[in-house]
Amino acid sequence: MLNSLFVNASILISFLYLGSQLFRNKKINSKSNLKTKISVGVLFGLTGWVLMFNGIDLSNNMIMDFRIIALIISFIFCGPLSALITVLIIISFRFGYFGICDASITAMYNLIIVFLLSSAISTFILDFKKKYIAMGVVNILSTTIWTFILVKDTKLLLSILHNYIFSTIIVSIIIYFVLVYIYNTNELYLRLKQESETDFLTGLYNVREFEKLLNKFLADAAAKSEELSLLMIDLDYFKNVNDTFGHPSGDMVLKQFSHILTSSCRSFDIISRKGGEEFAIILLGCNYEHAFEIAERIRKNVRQHQFSIDKGKIISITVSIGVSSYSDRINTPEDLLQEADQALYSAKRDGRNIVR
C-alpha cells in the first residue's frame, strides 16, 4: 500500500514541476489574472484525476490518494477561484469514472468541506507555512471523520487511517519543501529575466531589449501593413545637471523623466532607455502625424515639470525629440533609427527643446 502511495506522491510532484514550467514567466498568487487562476485550477484538477486513476482501490469504490493535497496547492497558489475549479474537476471525474455511490458522495462532501475550511483559513493573515500546515490539518481531520462514517469494518478502518495519516504527513512535508524550492527558483528566474530586459535605474526597457522589440514589431508592421513610428529623445544639457548637482541628482531627474514618458505615452508603447540621457519609444500602430503629437506632448510635459533633486532643490529640464515613421523608404530598423537620429540632431542643432 505504501509503495502505491509513493507512486501517487511522485505523480503529484511531477505535476508540480510541470506547473512551475508552464507558469515560470508569471507571478502566481491570489492577485493573478483570471486566465492564470483558471489555468492553475484546471492543472491541479487534472492532477486530481491522475492521482485518483493511480490511487489505491480499497473496497466499495473507496480510493486512497493525495487529491486533496492537489486542492490545497491550488488554493495556496491562486486562492479560492482556482481551488473551486480544481474541486469541480475532481468531483466530475470521481462521479464520471467511478459512478454515483456512497464513496463518491462522501468524497465530494470531503472535498467541499476542505475547500470551505481552507477558504476560512485564507481570510486570516498567515504566512505561507502556517497556512499550508492549517490546511493540511483540516485535510487529515476531515478525511478521518468521513472515513469513520463510511467504513464499518474496524480492522480495515484502522489500516486505512494508519496508512493515510502517516503517508499524508510525510508527503505534505515533502511537498512543502518542493513548493518552497519552486517558488524561490521561479522568483530568481523572474528577477534575472527582468534585470536582463530592463534598465536598473528607470525600470524601462534596456537597449538590448529595445533592439529586439524594434526588430520584432517592425517585421510585424511590414507583414500586416501596419503603421509604426519611433521617437529618439535626448535631455538637453543633462551633463550640466551631473556636473553642477552631482550624479545622485542626475539619477533623480532620470527617474522622474521616465515617469513622465510613461504617463505621456499609451500603455502599449515600448519605452526604453538607450543609455545615459538618451531614450527611445516605439509607437505601435502610430502614423507620423500622431507620433508628432505624442512627441509634442512629451516635450511640453517635461518643460512644465519641476524636477526635484538633492536637498529639496527644484530645476527645469527640456528635451529634444526626433521622429521617424515606417514607410516604403524607411523599412528597416537601421533606416528607422538613422532617420530618428538625424531628426534628433536637427532638433538639437536648431536650439533644443524642439521636435523634428
Side-chain angles (χ1 to χ4, degrees):
M1 183 179 289
L2 289 178
N3 288 338
S4 298
L5 288 173
F6 175 77
V7 172
N8 217 239
S10 299
I11 293 171
L12 182 57
I13 293 171
S14 298
F15 270 90
L16 261 179
Y17 275 101
L18 173 62
S20 73
Q21 293 304 304
L22 291 175
F23 302 108
R24 68 175 183 171
N25 290 316
K26 299 178 180 179
K27 274 188 171 292
I28 306 297
N29 52 43
S30 58
K31 296 180 181 178
S32 298
N33 60 39
L34 181 61
K35 182 180 178 181
T36 300
K37 289 181 179 180
I38 292 172
S39 300
V40 170
V42 170
L43 174 65
F44 287 106
L46 295 177
T47 304
W49 282 18
V50 177
L51 292 173
M52 279 187 284
F53 192 76
N54 291 275
I56 302 169
D57 192 353
L58 298 170
S59 64
N60 299 321
N61 284 329
M62 282 187 64
I63 307 296
M64 184 186 292
D65 55 64
F66 297 125
R67 82 194 80 145
I68 296 184
I69 297 180
L71 164 62
I72 292 172
I73 294 169
S74 182
F75 214 122
I76 289 286
F77 271 157
C78 274
L81 177 59
S82 176
L84 179 60
I85 293 170
T86 299
V87 167
L88 294 175
I89 291 174
I90 291 175
I91 289 175
S92 67
F93 180 77
R94 187 68 168 85
F95 282 115
Y97 189 79
F98 297 98
I100 299 175
C101 58
D102 289 344
S104 294
I105 294 172
T106 300
M108 178 187 69
Y109 287 147
N110 191 26
L111 279 166
I112 292 173
I113 287 175
V114 172
F115 169 76
L116 293 175
L117 291 176
S118 295
S119 298
I121 291 169
S122 67
T123 61
F124 294 96
I125 303 175
L126 300 173
D127 60 24
F128 169 79
K129 184 177 181 180
K130 291 178 181 178
K131 192 178 293 187
Y132 182 79
I133 291 173
M135 291 180 182
V137 171
V138 166
N139 170 26
I140 292 174
L141 291 177
S142 178
T143 303
T144 299
I145 292 170
W146 286 109
T147 305
F148 263 110
I149 294 172
L150 191 64
V151 179
K152 307 303 181 184
D153 186 322
T154 304
K155 185 177 180 180
L156 177 60
L157 174 65
L158 293 175
S159 175
I160 291 172
L161 291 178
H162 173 267
N163 285 288
Y164 181 78
I165 292 173
F166 173 75
S167 59
T168 298
I169 291 173
I170 297 300
V171 170
S172 295
I173 292 172
I174 294 172
I175 292 298
Y176 169 77
F177 286 106
V178 171
L179 285 172
V180 170
Y181 173 77
I182 289 174
Y183 176 81
N184 290 337
T185 301
N186 282 17
E187 281 289 302
L188 178 61
Y189 171 79
L190 287 173
R191 181 165 62 83
L192 293 175
K193 184 174 184 291
Q194 183 182 28
E195 289 175 357
S196 70
E197 295 175 350
T198 58
D199 173 61
F200 73 95
L201 179 65
T202 63
L204 303 176
Y205 287 112
N206 59 25
V207 63
R208 181 172 57 184
E209 191 66 12
F210 164 77
E211 291 173 352
K212 185 173 74 174
L213 292 172
L214 179 61
N215 280 281
K216 175 185 181 301
F217 287 120
L218 192 58
D220 289 345
K224 300 174 184 178
S225 299
E226 295 177 342
E227 296 171 322
L228 182 145
S229 294
L230 176 66
L231 306 184
M232 295 292 287
I233 307 171
D234 195 83
L235 277 73
D236 297 331
Y237 304 111
F238 182 72
K239 185 176 184 297
N240 293 343
V241 176
N242 284 330
D243 292 344
T244 304
F245 303 105
H247 286 277
S249 291
D251 289 346
M252 293 173 70
V253 169
L254 291 174
K255 288 179 181 179
Q256 293 170 65
F257 177 65
S258 69
H259 291 310
I260 295 173
L261 291 181
T262 303
S263 62
S264 301
C265 294
R266 302 163 302 176
S267 60
F268 51 83
D269 290 329
I270 308 300
I271 309 172
S272 67
R273 182 187 180 196
K274 293 198 70 183
E277 69 271 23
E278 189 174 339
F279 293 76
I281 304 175
I282 304 171
L283 301 173
L284 305 175
C286 189
N287 60 25
Y288 175 77
E289 289 78 11
H290 192 191
F292 198 90
E293 291 175 5
I294 294 174
E296 269 294 325
R297 180 163 68 237
I298 292 171
R299 186 190 66 79
K300 290 176 182 177
N301 288 344
V302 173
R303 185 189 62 190
Q304 295 168 2
H305 185 79
Q306 297 294 299
F307 289 85
S308 176
I309 59 172
D310 198 23
K311 297 180 180 179
K313 294 179 181 177
I314 301 296
I315 62 172
S316 296
I317 297 288
T318 61
V319 292
S320 301
I321 305 176
V323 183
S324 64
S325 295
Y326 166 73
S327 67
D328 291 336
R329 183 178 65 83
I330 307 173
N331 53 20
T332 67
E334 293 76 18
D335 290 341
L336 202 65
L337 285 166
Q338 183 177 4
E339 289 286 328
D341 272 330
Q342 289 177 357
L344 175 60
Y345 177 75
S346 175
K348 294 167 74 172
R349 182 190 59 205
D350 292 345
R352 304 176 191 262
N353 189 27
I354 297 172
V355 177
R356 286 286 183 263

